[in-house]
Amino acid sequence: MNKIKKDDLVKIIAGKDKGKEGKVVSVDTKTGKIIVEGINLATKHTRPSQANPNGGIVKKENPIDVSNVMLVVDGKATRVGFKVVDGKKQRVSKKTGKVIG
C-alpha cells in the first residue's frame, strides 16, 4: 500500500474530479484513503469556535480511495512497481522505468 506517499503528485482517474491533478496531503494506510489538495471538496457548515470565531461555510477536502489515483512522473500518469536497488526497495515508474525519489 506504500505506492502513494505524502507530497506525491497524483492524477485522479475516477469520480467527480476525474482528470485533475493535485498533491497528496495525507495517507491513511489502514483504510486505503488519501487526501489530495483541492480535490473532492465538500462544503461543511461550522459553528463559531476559537479557531474560527465567525463560523460559517467552509470547503474541506474529503478522503478519496487510493485506487482512484495514479502517480504522476515527468508529467505522465504511471503505475508503480518495486525494484531492489543497492539493497533498498525502491519505487519504480512502470512507464519509464525510472526510480521515483
Side-chain angles (χ1 to χ4, degrees):
M1 188 73 107
N2 53 358
K3 292 184 177 187
I4 306 286
K5 295 183 178 180
K6 187 178 174 184
D7 294 331
D8 280 347
L9 186 66
V10 293
K11 184 174 187 173
I12 311 302
I13 57 171
K16 67 178 183 179
D17 292 320
K18 183 177 179 176
K20 292 183 183 175
E21 289 185 7
K23 194 172 93 169
V24 177
V25 177
S26 71
V27 179
D28 185 2
T29 52
K30 276 197 170 144
T31 60
K33 305 265 186 188
I34 62 172
I35 295 178
V36 183
E37 206 173 78
I39 303 293
N40 200 21
L41 291 173
T43 51
K44 186 172 169 64
H45 296 260
T46 58
R47 59 172 22 137
S49 65
Q50 290 226 320
N52 188 5
N54 294 332
I57 300 170
V58 177
K59 290 221 181 258
K60 183 178 184 287
E61 289 120 353
N62 278 352
I64 185 170
D65 199 88
V66 75
S67 66
N68 294 335
V69 301
M70 277 182 103
L71 187 67
V72 175
V73 180
D74 298 333
K76 292 185 178 179
T78 180
R79 290 178 307 195
V80 179
F82 291 96
K83 200 179 267 187
V84 176
V85 180
D86 299 329
K88 285 188 175 181
K89 188 174 166 186
Q90 297 279 329
R91 293 187 300 166
V92 176
S93 166
K94 288 276 194 174
K95 197 167 259 186
T96 61
K98 284 174 58 175
V99 173
I100 301 162

